[in-house]
Short mmCIF file of all heavy atoms in Angstrom, two decimals:
data_model
loop_
_atom_site.label_atom_id
_atom_site.label_comp_id
_atom_site.label_asym_id
_atom_site.label_seq_id
_atom_site.Cartn_x
_atom_site.Cartn_y
_atom_site.Cartn_z
N ASP D 155 144.67 -13.75 106.86
CA ASP D 155 144.95 -15.10 107.36
C ASP D 155 144.80 -16.08 106.19
O ASP D 155 143.68 -16.46 105.81
CB ASP D 155 143.96 -15.43 108.48
CG ASP D 155 144.20 -16.82 109.09
OD1 ASP D 155 144.83 -17.66 108.44
OD2 ASP D 155 143.70 -17.04 110.18
N ILE D 156 145.94 -16.47 105.64
CA ILE D 156 145.93 -17.29 104.42
C ILE D 156 145.43 -18.69 104.69
O ILE D 156 144.81 -19.32 103.83
CB ILE D 156 147.35 -17.31 103.80
CG1 ILE D 156 147.67 -15.92 103.24
CG2 ILE D 156 147.49 -18.37 102.71
CD1 ILE D 156 146.79 -15.46 102.11
N ALA D 157 145.66 -19.18 105.88
CA ALA D 157 145.13 -20.51 106.21
C ALA D 157 143.62 -20.48 106.24
O ALA D 157 142.96 -21.40 105.73
CB ALA D 157 145.66 -20.98 107.59
N LEU D 158 143.04 -19.42 106.80
CA LEU D 158 141.58 -19.29 106.79
C LEU D 158 141.06 -19.17 105.37
O LEU D 158 140.09 -19.85 105.00
CB LEU D 158 141.19 -18.05 107.58
CG LEU D 158 139.71 -17.64 107.52
CD1 LEU D 158 138.82 -18.72 108.12
CD2 LEU D 158 139.48 -16.29 108.21
N LEU D 159 141.71 -18.34 104.56
CA LEU D 159 141.28 -18.18 103.19
C LEU D 159 141.36 -19.51 102.45
O LEU D 159 140.43 -19.90 101.69
CB LEU D 159 142.16 -17.12 102.47
CG LEU D 159 141.65 -16.58 101.15
CD1 LEU D 159 142.00 -15.09 101.00
CD2 LEU D 159 142.18 -17.37 99.99
N GLY D 160 142.41 -20.28 102.72
CA GLY D 160 142.51 -21.61 102.09
C GLY D 160 141.39 -22.54 102.54
O GLY D 160 140.84 -23.28 101.72
N ARG D 161 141.07 -22.48 103.85
CA ARG D 161 139.99 -23.35 104.32
C ARG D 161 138.66 -22.98 103.69
O ARG D 161 137.86 -23.82 103.35
CB ARG D 161 139.87 -23.24 105.84
CG ARG D 161 140.82 -24.10 106.62
CD ARG D 161 140.32 -24.39 108.02
NE ARG D 161 140.07 -23.21 108.84
CZ ARG D 161 140.99 -22.47 109.43
NH1 ARG D 161 142.27 -22.77 109.29
NH2 ARG D 161 140.67 -21.43 110.13
N ILE D 162 138.43 -21.68 103.54
CA ILE D 162 137.19 -21.23 102.88
C ILE D 162 137.14 -21.74 101.44
O ILE D 162 136.15 -22.34 101.04
CB ILE D 162 137.06 -19.68 102.93
CG1 ILE D 162 136.88 -19.25 104.39
CG2 ILE D 162 135.91 -19.20 102.06
CD1 ILE D 162 137.03 -17.72 104.59
N VAL D 163 138.18 -21.51 100.69
CA VAL D 163 138.21 -21.95 99.29
C VAL D 163 137.94 -23.44 99.17
O VAL D 163 137.22 -23.89 98.31
CB VAL D 163 139.57 -21.61 98.66
CG1 VAL D 163 139.75 -22.32 97.32
CG2 VAL D 163 139.73 -20.08 98.50
N ALA D 164 138.49 -24.22 100.16
CA ALA D 164 138.34 -25.67 100.09
C ALA D 164 136.91 -26.10 100.35
O ALA D 164 136.54 -27.21 99.96
CB ALA D 164 139.27 -26.32 101.13
N GLN D 165 136.11 -25.23 101.01
CA GLN D 165 134.78 -25.64 101.44
C GLN D 165 133.66 -25.15 100.54
O GLN D 165 132.49 -25.46 100.78
CB GLN D 165 134.53 -25.18 102.88
CG GLN D 165 135.41 -25.88 103.90
CD GLN D 165 135.31 -25.21 105.28
OE1 GLN D 165 134.44 -24.39 105.52
NE2 GLN D 165 136.17 -25.60 106.18
N VAL D 166 133.98 -24.31 99.58
CA VAL D 166 132.93 -23.71 98.73
C VAL D 166 133.09 -24.18 97.32
O VAL D 166 134.15 -24.55 96.86
CB VAL D 166 132.99 -22.16 98.79
CG1 VAL D 166 132.72 -21.67 100.20
CG2 VAL D 166 134.32 -21.62 98.28
N PRO D 167 131.97 -24.19 96.54
CA PRO D 167 132.05 -24.50 95.13
C PRO D 167 132.74 -23.34 94.39
O PRO D 167 132.83 -22.22 94.89
CB PRO D 167 130.59 -24.62 94.70
CG PRO D 167 129.82 -23.80 95.69
CD PRO D 167 130.58 -23.89 96.97
N ALA D 168 133.21 -23.64 93.18
CA ALA D 168 133.94 -22.61 92.41
C ALA D 168 133.08 -21.42 92.11
O ALA D 168 133.58 -20.30 91.83
CB ALA D 168 134.49 -23.24 91.13
N SER D 169 131.75 -21.59 92.15
CA SER D 169 130.86 -20.47 91.86
C SER D 169 130.91 -19.40 92.95
O SER D 169 130.51 -18.28 92.75
CB SER D 169 129.42 -20.97 91.72
OG SER D 169 129.04 -21.58 92.93
N PHE D 170 131.39 -19.76 94.13
CA PHE D 170 131.52 -18.80 95.23
C PHE D 170 132.92 -18.21 95.13
O PHE D 170 133.92 -18.90 95.34
CB PHE D 170 131.33 -19.53 96.57
CG PHE D 170 131.37 -18.64 97.78
CD1 PHE D 170 130.19 -18.10 98.30
CD2 PHE D 170 132.58 -18.31 98.40
CE1 PHE D 170 130.22 -17.28 99.43
CE2 PHE D 170 132.61 -17.49 99.53
CZ PHE D 170 131.42 -16.96 100.05
N ARG D 171 132.99 -16.95 94.75
CA ARG D 171 134.26 -16.35 94.46
C ARG D 171 134.90 -15.68 95.67
O ARG D 171 134.32 -14.78 96.24
CB ARG D 171 134.07 -15.31 93.32
CG ARG D 171 133.57 -15.99 92.01
CD ARG D 171 133.07 -14.98 91.01
NE ARG D 171 134.10 -14.13 90.50
CZ ARG D 171 134.99 -14.44 89.58
NH1 ARG D 171 134.96 -15.63 89.05
NH2 ARG D 171 135.87 -13.58 89.18
N VAL D 172 136.06 -16.12 96.01
CA VAL D 172 136.76 -15.58 97.18
C VAL D 172 137.74 -14.51 96.70
O VAL D 172 138.66 -14.80 95.92
CB VAL D 172 137.48 -16.68 97.97
CG1 VAL D 172 138.19 -16.07 99.17
CG2 VAL D 172 136.46 -17.71 98.42
N LEU D 173 137.52 -13.30 97.19
CA LEU D 173 138.42 -12.18 96.84
C LEU D 173 139.23 -11.84 98.08
O LEU D 173 138.74 -11.86 99.21
CB LEU D 173 137.58 -10.97 96.43
CG LEU D 173 136.65 -11.21 95.25
CD1 LEU D 173 135.68 -10.02 95.10
CD2 LEU D 173 137.46 -11.40 93.98
N CYS D 174 140.49 -11.49 97.87
CA CYS D 174 141.36 -11.15 99.00
C CYS D 174 141.31 -9.65 99.23
O CYS D 174 141.42 -8.84 98.28
CB CYS D 174 142.77 -11.59 98.68
SG CYS D 174 143.97 -11.05 99.89
N GLY D 175 141.18 -9.24 100.48
CA GLY D 175 141.13 -7.80 100.81
C GLY D 175 142.37 -7.31 101.51
O GLY D 175 142.33 -6.21 102.10
N SER D 176 143.45 -8.05 101.45
CA SER D 176 144.65 -7.67 102.19
C SER D 176 145.86 -7.68 101.24
O SER D 176 146.40 -8.73 100.91
CB SER D 176 144.85 -8.67 103.34
OG SER D 176 146.06 -8.38 104.02
N ALA D 177 146.27 -6.49 100.82
CA ALA D 177 147.33 -6.41 99.78
C ALA D 177 148.65 -7.07 100.17
O ALA D 177 149.32 -7.62 99.30
CB ALA D 177 147.56 -4.94 99.38
N PRO D 178 149.04 -7.06 101.45
CA PRO D 178 150.31 -7.71 101.78
C PRO D 178 150.33 -9.24 101.54
O PRO D 178 151.37 -9.84 101.61
CB PRO D 178 150.53 -7.39 103.26
CG PRO D 178 149.73 -6.13 103.48
CD PRO D 178 148.53 -6.27 102.59
N VAL D 179 149.15 -9.82 101.30
CA VAL D 179 149.09 -11.28 101.01
C VAL D 179 148.32 -11.55 99.74
O VAL D 179 147.86 -12.72 99.56
CB VAL D 179 148.52 -12.09 102.20
CG1 VAL D 179 149.48 -12.07 103.39
CG2 VAL D 179 147.12 -11.58 102.60
N ILE D 180 148.22 -10.61 98.86
CA ILE D 180 147.41 -10.86 97.65
C ILE D 180 148.05 -11.98 96.80
O ILE D 180 147.33 -12.85 96.30
CB ILE D 180 147.17 -9.58 96.83
CG1 ILE D 180 146.39 -9.86 95.56
CG2 ILE D 180 148.44 -8.84 96.53
CD1 ILE D 180 144.99 -10.41 95.79
N TYR D 181 149.35 -11.99 96.66
CA TYR D 181 149.95 -13.04 95.85
C TYR D 181 149.75 -14.42 96.46
O TYR D 181 149.21 -15.34 95.81
CB TYR D 181 151.42 -12.73 95.55
CG TYR D 181 152.20 -13.91 95.06
CD1 TYR D 181 151.79 -14.63 93.91
CD2 TYR D 181 153.31 -14.39 95.71
CE1 TYR D 181 152.46 -15.75 93.49
CE2 TYR D 181 154.02 -15.48 95.29
CZ TYR D 181 153.56 -16.18 94.17
OH TYR D 181 154.23 -17.30 93.75
N PRO D 182 150.12 -14.65 97.73
CA PRO D 182 149.81 -15.98 98.29
C PRO D 182 148.34 -16.28 98.33
O PRO D 182 147.95 -17.49 98.24
CB PRO D 182 150.44 -15.90 99.69
CG PRO D 182 150.73 -14.49 99.99
CD PRO D 182 150.95 -13.85 98.65
N ALA D 183 147.48 -15.29 98.45
CA ALA D 183 146.03 -15.56 98.42
C ALA D 183 145.61 -16.12 97.06
O ALA D 183 144.83 -17.07 96.98
CB ALA D 183 145.26 -14.28 98.75
N LEU D 184 146.14 -15.50 96.01
CA LEU D 184 145.86 -16.04 94.66
C LEU D 184 146.38 -17.45 94.54
O LEU D 184 145.75 -18.34 93.95
CB LEU D 184 146.48 -15.10 93.59
CG LEU D 184 145.86 -13.72 93.48
CD1 LEU D 184 146.78 -12.81 92.63
CD2 LEU D 184 144.44 -13.77 92.89
N CYS D 185 147.56 -17.70 95.11
CA CYS D 185 148.14 -19.08 95.04
C CYS D 185 147.22 -20.09 95.65
O CYS D 185 147.15 -21.25 95.16
CB CYS D 185 149.50 -19.10 95.76
SG CYS D 185 150.79 -18.20 94.91
N VAL D 186 146.54 -19.78 96.74
CA VAL D 186 145.72 -20.78 97.40
C VAL D 186 144.26 -20.72 96.94
O VAL D 186 143.40 -21.39 97.54
CB VAL D 186 145.81 -20.71 98.92
CG1 VAL D 186 147.24 -20.90 99.39
CG2 VAL D 186 145.24 -19.41 99.47
N GLY D 187 143.93 -19.92 95.94
CA GLY D 187 142.61 -20.04 95.37
C GLY D 187 141.75 -18.79 95.36
O GLY D 187 140.59 -18.83 94.89
N ALA D 188 142.20 -17.65 95.90
CA ALA D 188 141.45 -16.41 95.70
C ALA D 188 141.42 -16.13 94.19
O ALA D 188 142.38 -16.43 93.49
CB ALA D 188 142.08 -15.28 96.46
N VAL D 189 140.31 -15.56 93.75
CA VAL D 189 140.19 -15.31 92.29
C VAL D 189 140.44 -13.82 91.96
O VAL D 189 140.34 -13.43 90.80
CB VAL D 189 138.80 -15.70 91.77
CG1 VAL D 189 138.58 -17.19 91.96
CG2 VAL D 189 137.69 -14.89 92.41
N GLY D 190 140.78 -13.04 92.97
CA GLY D 190 141.03 -11.64 92.73
C GLY D 190 141.21 -10.90 94.03
O GLY D 190 141.28 -11.54 95.11
N GLY D 191 141.30 -9.60 93.96
CA GLY D 191 141.48 -8.79 95.16
C GLY D 191 140.66 -7.53 95.11
O GLY D 191 140.32 -7.05 94.03
N VAL D 192 140.32 -7.01 96.27
CA VAL D 192 139.72 -5.69 96.42
C VAL D 192 140.60 -4.99 97.43
O VAL D 192 140.51 -5.22 98.62
CB VAL D 192 138.28 -5.77 96.94
CG1 VAL D 192 137.65 -4.38 97.01
CG2 VAL D 192 137.43 -6.69 96.06
N LEU D 193 141.48 -4.12 96.95
CA LEU D 193 142.64 -3.71 97.76
C LEU D 193 142.74 -2.18 97.86
O LEU D 193 142.74 -1.47 96.86
CB LEU D 193 143.89 -4.24 97.11
CG LEU D 193 143.93 -5.77 96.95
CD1 LEU D 193 145.14 -6.18 96.12
CD2 LEU D 193 143.93 -6.46 98.29
N ALA D 194 142.88 -1.70 99.10
CA ALA D 194 143.13 -0.29 99.31
C ALA D 194 144.33 0.22 98.54
O ALA D 194 144.34 1.31 98.00
CB ALA D 194 143.31 0.00 100.80
N ALA D 195 145.35 -0.60 98.48
CA ALA D 195 146.59 -0.18 97.79
C ALA D 195 146.32 0.20 96.35
O ALA D 195 147.05 1.02 95.78
CB ALA D 195 147.62 -1.30 97.87
N ALA D 196 145.28 -0.41 95.75
CA ALA D 196 144.98 -0.08 94.37
C ALA D 196 144.47 1.37 94.22
O ALA D 196 144.51 1.92 93.12
CB ALA D 196 143.94 -1.05 93.80
N CYS D 197 144.02 1.99 95.28
CA CYS D 197 143.59 3.37 95.21
C CYS D 197 144.75 4.31 94.89
O CYS D 197 144.59 5.32 94.22
CB CYS D 197 142.96 3.81 96.52
SG CYS D 197 141.40 2.99 96.88
N CYS D 198 145.94 3.95 95.38
CA CYS D 198 147.11 4.84 95.17
C CYS D 198 148.12 4.23 94.20
O CYS D 198 148.94 4.95 93.68
CB CYS D 198 147.77 5.21 96.48
SG CYS D 198 148.41 3.80 97.40
N ALA D 199 148.03 2.95 94.00
CA ALA D 199 149.00 2.28 93.13
C ALA D 199 148.34 1.23 92.25
O ALA D 199 148.65 0.05 92.31
CB ALA D 199 150.12 1.67 93.95
N PRO D 200 147.37 1.66 91.42
CA PRO D 200 146.63 0.66 90.66
C PRO D 200 147.52 -0.11 89.70
O PRO D 200 147.27 -1.30 89.45
CB PRO D 200 145.58 1.50 89.91
CG PRO D 200 146.05 2.91 89.96
CD PRO D 200 146.89 3.02 91.21
N GLY D 201 148.52 0.55 89.18
CA GLY D 201 149.39 -0.12 88.19
C GLY D 201 150.08 -1.34 88.78
O GLY D 201 149.94 -2.45 88.22
#
Side-chain angles (χ1 to χ4, degrees):
Chain D
D155 181 340
I156 290 297
L158 172 63
L159 195 145
R161 278 204 302 282
I162 293 169
V163 168
Q165 293 171 10
V166 296
S169 60
F170 184 93
R171 297 166 66 78
V172 179
L173 303 170
C174 174
S176 175
V179 291
I180 177 63
Y181 164 56
L184 293 167
C185 289
V186 301
V189 299
V192 182
L193 303 172
C197 293
C198 61

